[in-house]
């Protein structure tokens, strides 16, 4: 519903909107129809004149508008929003450097991007541009620009991520406020800021922070576009999806079909105009995402780095396979072990990445990340769709519920049933939708609280959220044990008060409402505070305290995929927390590798680890354990450190760092090693390019043996580093012979490393071990490739 009555004259500076307040919404008295009472029609915010001449007036009045907000806002609304944004900034920036390099895989790429604009453009892992990370590079660019300006360090890398959290909270508020009250926007913004998964990923250097911000902006653009059938806002939405694709490939498109359908159905324009607008938006998406893809495809392979994560040096393969459809089906060539087939019903099937099924998001190790408010969000989504069922096709309230509801349902179902790689922190992609639905639903129920059915529903949602929080907090019973009872009792008391809210005095009802909100957010707030106060490092991290048991990678979960419950608080900094430095294998390795590094049998059978596992934990991984066994099972032990650093990098001694720095300017790469996590550790410790053979998993065919031999002949690589320091995955020459180890790799069907004895990384490692003399520096096995070959 739109109106021109509140638009200012075009010859006056915009926006002096205070002089043109929109009409009051319909009264919420008892005579108003139920659906009108919950979400009454409202006027859109006033639109000022467009064109270059209007920008001067807009900029002139920007400070006043930023403080005052919309003219129909109560006086407390804008100060409350600014306080929320300031609190979010403090929460997310506080002690952010505690995580150090966080995910060193991406920090090394940031370092490379500060040293080479070519590495910046392609997202290379090293400044010499040997191989890229396994994602498109847009998420790296803000961090790299920050590091170029302020110097490379933990704060300069992670601070842009935290600022994205502030921007996301502001976007969620603005999107909800377009159609609902400031109360709804503030509740949505607070719920977004206090989501544990968000508190983790917006203080981490993975792609998810930028992905969530861009998708939130896309939702805002869609809401604006459907208000007035605005072409420019729909083009903006398509552009945000394109940028999101350059952030995390097909993960950006989970809600794209639903968003397109919503505009096609709800925009207030003729059908063909809506179709044309969608085509223009699609063109904007293709251009905003395709320019980089086209350049990468057109540049000869010899003039750019190898595309990490692919088996054919093609970004399209990464986007559609390893980072695309493979995540759904589990068929991820070159990846670590995928999951089992998706199961139905509540239980689903258990694969390498945990149990699939409709209850997956509520499971032991995932529930505490995101699920605190999902039941409430689903109930309030149903309420919103029911209350607007008789509205016109173009109704703004229903459109808003469809936008956020489709985001939650589509993404939630994909996460529930995907069989490929799935990590708990992926659930941060649900946080804006959950928060917005809660904010919009609470807004309507609070407005209609004087009618008993709606007061009762508000009370039921509050009580149900308190009970569910009690359950989730019980999974980490050693963490603030008093809190679960406080949340339960406080929530039930608040629900009882809200049941009578319509008969209570205004201030008393407000106190009851605030109490209900506090209990609903109490659990996630505690988890978020625990998350921001703790270091998180490595490739797989989780928010909040340790839970009793879980599936997949998780703090106290199954350890490595398919492993048994148990283990320590993996994913946090410090070698004491897991089997490998930084808790790289949360919960221990299958078969019991939960103790100190290196405590294992050479044949790959049960290890001597502590809390990480029990007998029979190999299951899907096979009785032979790791390829060729765990004790030097890779050729000559040269790849021993690769998988030790799969989830977190190696500890680099000062002796090794000093050795690599010697005469570093004479070499293109001061060293080569298998796997990007180990490479990242050596590169960050030295500041010099290190070659990551095989990319992240060590399985990418990024360099043939012949090409490696040519590099060595030309003197471009100084050292080859075999087993990583603290990796615990074997030592040079240990265990099986090179030939036996390589042969065993081919038997490891469905295990962690695919590629077998013929993988290029294996061939290079075997050749180095056979032709160069190994020496131990610190606890790493190092080969000097400039020394005369042994034979």
């Amino acid at each position: 519903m739109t109106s021109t009555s509140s638009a200012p004259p075009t010859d006056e500076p915009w926006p002096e909107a205070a002089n043109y307040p929109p009409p009051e919404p319909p009264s919420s008295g008892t005579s108003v129809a139920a659906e009108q009472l919950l979400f009454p029609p409202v006027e859109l915010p006033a639109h000022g004149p467009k064109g270059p001449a209007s920008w001067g007036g807009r900029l002139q009045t920007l400070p006043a508008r930023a403080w005052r907000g919309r003219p129909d806002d109560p006086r407390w609304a804008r100060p409350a929003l600014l306080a929320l944004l300031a609190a979010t900034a403090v929460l997310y920036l506080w002690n952010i450097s505690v995580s150090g390099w966080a995910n060193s895989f991406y920090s090394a790429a940031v370092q490379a991007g500060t040293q080479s604009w070519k590495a910046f453009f392609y997202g290379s892992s090293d400044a010499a541009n040997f191989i890229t990370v396994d994602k498109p590079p847009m998420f790296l660019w803000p961090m790299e620009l920050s590091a170029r300006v302020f110097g490379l360090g933990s704060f300069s890398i992670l601070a842009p991520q935290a600022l994205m959290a502030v921007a996301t909270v502001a976007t969620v508020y603005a999107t909800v406020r377009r159609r609902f009250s400031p109360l709804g926007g503030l509740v949505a913004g607070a719920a977004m800021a206090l989501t544990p998964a968000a508190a983790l990923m917006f203080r981490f250097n993975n792609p998810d922070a930028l992905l969530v911000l861009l998708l939130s902006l896309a939702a805002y653009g869609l809401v604006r576009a459907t208000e007035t059938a605005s072409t420019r806002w729909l083009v903006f939405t398509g552009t945000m999806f394109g940028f999101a694709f350059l952030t995390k490939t097909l993960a950006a498109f989970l809600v794209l079909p639903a968003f397109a359908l919503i505009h096609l159905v709800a925009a207030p324009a003729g059908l063909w105009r809506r179709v044309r607008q969608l085509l223009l938006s699609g063109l904007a998406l293709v251009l905003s995402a395709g320019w980089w893809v086209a350049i990468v495809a057109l540049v000869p392979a010899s003039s750019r780095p190898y595309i990490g994560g692919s088996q054919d040096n093609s970004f399209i393969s990464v986007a559609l396979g390893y980072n695309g459809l493979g995540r759904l089906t589990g068929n991820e060539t070159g990846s670590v072990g995928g999951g089992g087939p998706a199961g139905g019903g509540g239980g689903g099937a258990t694969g390498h990445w945990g149990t699939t099924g409709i209850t997956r998001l509520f499971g032991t190790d995932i529930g505490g990340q995101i699920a605190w408010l999902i039941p409430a969000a689903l109930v309030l989504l149903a309420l919103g769709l029911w209350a607007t069922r008789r509205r016109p096709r173009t109704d703004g309230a229903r459109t808003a519920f469809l936008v956020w509801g489709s985001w939650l349902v589509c993404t939630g179902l994909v996460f529930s049933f995907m069989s490929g790689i799935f990590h708990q922190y992926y659930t941060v992609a649900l946080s804006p939708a959950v928060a917005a639905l809660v904010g919009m639903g609470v807004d309507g129920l609070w407005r209609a609280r004087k009618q008993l059915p709606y007061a009762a529903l508000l009370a039921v949602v509050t009580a149900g959220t308190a009970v569910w929080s009690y359950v989730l907090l019980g999974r980490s019973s050693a963490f603030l044990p008093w809190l679960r009872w406080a949340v339960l009792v406080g929530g039930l008391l608040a629900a009882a008060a809200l049941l009578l809210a319509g008969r209570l005095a205004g201030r008393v009802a407000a106190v009851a409402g605030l109490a209900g909100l506090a209990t609903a957010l109490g659990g996630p707030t505690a988890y978020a505070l625990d998350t921001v106060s703790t270091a998180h490092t490595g490739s797989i991290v989780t928010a909040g305290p340790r839970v009793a048991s879980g599936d997949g990678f998780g703090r106290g979960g199954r350890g490595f995929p398919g492993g048994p419950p148990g283990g320590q608080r993996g994913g946090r900094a410090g070698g004491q927390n897991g089997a490998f430095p930084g808790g790289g294998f949360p919960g221990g390795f299958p078969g019991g590798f939960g103790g100190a590094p290196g405590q294992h049998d050479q044949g790959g059978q049960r290890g001597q680890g502590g809390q990480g596992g029990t007998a029979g934990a190999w299951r899907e991984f096979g009785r032979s354990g790791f390829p060729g066994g765990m004790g030097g099972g890779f050729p000559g032990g040269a790849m021993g450190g690769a998988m030790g650093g799969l989830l977190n990098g190696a500890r680099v001694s000062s002796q090794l760092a000093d050795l690599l720095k010697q005469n570093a300017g004479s070499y293109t790469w001061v060293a080569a090693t298998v796997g990007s996590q180990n490479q990242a550790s050596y590169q960050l410790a030295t500041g010099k390019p290190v070659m990551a053979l095989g990319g992240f998993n060590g399985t990418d065919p990024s360099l043939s043996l012949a090409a490696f031999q040519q590099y060595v002949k030309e003197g471009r690589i100084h050292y080859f580093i075999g087993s990583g320091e603290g990796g615990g995955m074997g030592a040079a020459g240990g265990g099986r012979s090179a030939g036996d180890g390589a042969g065993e790799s081919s038997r490891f069907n469905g295990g962690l490393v695919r590629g077998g004895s013929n993988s290029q990384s294996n061939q290079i490692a075997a050749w180095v071990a056979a032709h160069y003399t190994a020496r131990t520096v610190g606890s790493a096995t190092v080969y000097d490739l400039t020394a005369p070959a042994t034979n």
Side-chain angles (χ1 to χ4, degrees):
M1 173 174 166
T2 62
S3 172
T4 59
S5 62
S6 59
T10 58
D11 58 348
E12 294 186 12
W14 176 258
E16 295 295 341
N19 298 325
Y20 307 96
E24 291 292 327
S27 169
S28 58
T30 56
S31 61
V32 179
E35 57 269 23
Q36 299 289 90
L37 180 61
L38 283 167
F39 309 109
V42 297
E43 292 285 340
L44 297 179
H47 293 274
K50 300 179 178 64
S54 67
W55 284 105
R58 296 189 184 196
L59 292 175
Q60 183 179 1
T61 59
L62 179 61
R65 286 184 290 122
W67 175 255
R68 183 176 57 226
R70 285 170 48 167
D72 54 333
D73 278 352
R75 296 182 62 181
W76 53 264
R78 187 49 58 101
L81 171 62
L82 296 177
L84 172 62
L85 297 180
T88 303
V90 171
L91 176 67
Y92 281 72
L93 286 170
W94 178 79
N95 198 29
I96 195 171
S97 296
V98 68
S99 295
W101 296 121
N103 189 340
S104 58
F105 174 51
Y106 294 130
S107 289
V110 171
Q111 180 196 57
T114 64
Q115 299 173 350
S116 163
W117 285 110
K118 183 176 180 180
F120 177 97
F121 178 80
Y122 287 109
S124 300
S125 292
D126 61 282
N129 291 287
F130 171 69
I131 194 170
T132 71
V133 298
D134 58 356
K135 301 290 188 299
M138 180 164 281
F139 78 100
L140 293 170
W141 293 343
M143 295 184 283
E144 289 171 337
L145 290 174
S146 174
R148 278 182 175 267
V149 173
F150 300 106
L152 182 69
S154 178
F155 184 85
S156 64
I157 290 176
L158 299 179
Q161 308 290 89
L163 296 179
M164 289 177 195
V166 179
T168 303
V169 170
T171 302
V172 170
Y173 171 89
T175 310
V176 172
R177 179 65 185 101
R178 290 295 301 178
R179 179 54 184 76
F180 303 89
S181 74
L183 171 66
L186 289 170
V187 170
M192 174 68 215
L194 296 173
T195 301
L200 173 67
M201 295 316 296
F202 282 99
R203 290 168 51 91
F204 208 69
N205 57 338
N206 277 20
D208 303 79
L210 182 58
L211 174 69
V212 171
L213 172 58
L214 291 171
L215 292 181
S216 298
L217 289 170
Y220 177 80
L222 180 63
V223 169
R224 292 292 300 265
T226 53
E227 288 175 350
T228 59
S230 169
T231 301
R232 64 188 180 118
W233 278 110
L234 198 62
V235 168
F236 171 84
T237 299
T239 302
M240 292 303 101
F241 273 114
F243 290 162
F245 176 82
L246 287 184
T247 298
K248 206 176 179 184
T249 61
L250 292 190
F253 292 168
L254 296 182
V255 298
L256 177 61
F259 276 25
L261 182 61
I262 289 169
H263 182 79
L264 186 63
V265 170
L271 175 61
W272 290 114
R273 182 184 175 189
R274 285 175 269 157
V275 171
R276 289 195 299 270
Q277 289 177 328
L278 285 175
L279 292 176
L280 288 173
S281 180
L283 178 62
L285 186 158
V286 171
L287 292 176
S288 59
W291 67 273
W292 185 87
V293 178
I295 291 175
V296 172
L298 293 174
V299 171
S302 59
S303 301
R304 59 165 173 79
Y306 186 92
I307 303 302
S310 72
Q311 297 297 298
D312 57 359
N313 200 8
S314 167
F315 176 75
I316 299 300
S317 297
V318 176
L320 298 182
Y322 174 69
N323 279 330
L325 299 178
R327 299 289 170 116
L328 303 180
T329 64
N331 183 21
E332 299 159 301
T333 304
S335 173
V336 294
T350 300
H352 297 163
W353 302 102
T355 301
T356 60
I358 200 67
T359 62
R360 186 184 209 178
L361 297 179
F362 306 93
T364 307
D365 56 340
I366 299 177
Q369 311 297 300
I370 189 64
W372 303 88
L373 298 176
I374 287 182
L378 292 173
V379 171
L380 295 173
L381 169 61
L383 169 70
L385 295 179
W386 173 84
T388 58
R389 66 194 185 281
R390 297 191 182 95
R391 299 283 182 88
R393 173 180 62 84
T394 59
D395 179 68
R398 181 173 57 218
T399 297
F401 277 104
L402 288 173
V403 168
W404 296 111
S406 65
W407 182 337
L408 174 59
V409 172
C410 293
T411 306
L413 287 176
V414 170
F415 286 171
S416 296
F417 291 97
M418 61 188 289
S419 298
I421 296 175
F422 177 79
H423 304 315
Q424 293 92 328
Y425 64 78
Y426 288 179
T427 57
V428 69
L430 298 169
S431 54
V434 173
L437 289 170
V438 169
M440 295 187 302
V442 167
D443 177 57
L445 288 177
W446 183 253
R447 182 185 291 108
R449 66 188 182 278
K450 292 186 177 180
Q451 289 196 5
L452 184 59
Y454 301 121
L457 182 56
L458 182 60
V460 167
V461 169
T462 303
T465 302
V467 172
W468 177 232
S469 295
Y470 175 85
V471 172
L472 290 176
L473 288 169
R475 296 175 180 176
S476 51
S477 56
F479 173 71
L480 301 179
W482 57 269
L483 180 61
R484 63 192 302 235
W485 291 103
V487 166
L488 178 63
V489 174
L492 294 178
L493 291 176
L498 289 171
L499 186 62
L500 304 174
R503 296 174 175 81
L504 298 176
R507 292 186 177 181
V508 177
V511 170
L514 289 174
L517 183 62
T519 56
L521 295 179
T525 299
Y527 265 52
L529 292 175
D530 177 80
T531 300
V532 302
S533 63
T534 309
H536 294 82
T537 61
S539 296
I540 301 177
V541 289
T542 53
R546 176 190 174 188
V547 296
S549 62
D551 293 329
F553 287 105
R555 190 171 301 158
R558 288 184 179 271
F560 215 81
Q568 300 295 326
R569 298 175 69 162
R572 298 193 171 201
Q576 75 278 12
N577 289 329
F580 296 92
F585 288 92
F589 208 81
F593 292 93
Q599 290 182 329
H600 54 265
D601 295 329
Q602 293 183 350
Q605 303 297 325
R606 280 194 67 207
Q608 302 171 16
Q611 303 178 26
T614 58
W618 289 110
R619 292 195 288 203
E620 297 92 348
F621 291 93
R623 289 293 175 182
S624 63
F626 227 75
M630 298 294 291
F634 287 101
M639 278 189 69
M643 297 308 295
L646 174 62
L647 305 183
N648 205 357
R651 287 193 296 264
V652 182
S653 67
S654 58
Q655 300 98 311
L656 179 58
D658 291 340
L659 178 67
L660 297 180
K661 291 177 185 178
Q662 292 177 9
N663 203 24
S666 301
Y667 304 94
T668 306
W669 295 276
V670 296
T673 190
V674 176
S676 293
Q677 285 287 15
N678 282 331
Q679 171 263 347
S681 299
Y682 306 133
Q683 183 170 293
L684 289 169
T686 62
K688 306 299 180 181
V690 176
M691 177 184 287
L693 293 168
F696 182 82
N697 299 312
T699 58
D700 298 345
S702 53
L703 190 68
S704 67
L705 174 59
F708 183 84
Q709 290 170 336
Q710 183 63 31
Y711 280 154
V712 172
K713 182 178 179 181
E714 295 171 356
R716 301 182 64 184
I717 309 172
H718 196 175
Y719 296 102
F720 184 93
I721 306 175
S723 57
E725 297 198 325
M729 288 288 184
R736 303 172 186 267
S737 67
D740 290 342
E744 193 70 33
S745 296
S746 64
R747 291 175 44 201
F748 193 59
N749 183 23
L752 289 171
V753 178
R754 300 177 182 178
S757 59
N758 293 322
S759 73
Q760 293 181 349
S761 299
N762 278 9
Q763 294 173 17
I764 292 171
W767 178 78
V768 170
H771 291 83
Y772 289 87
T773 302
R775 63 166 166 158
T776 300
V777 180
S779 59
T781 304
V782 180
Y783 302 83
D784 187 348
L785 301 180
T786 65
T790 57
N791 55 55

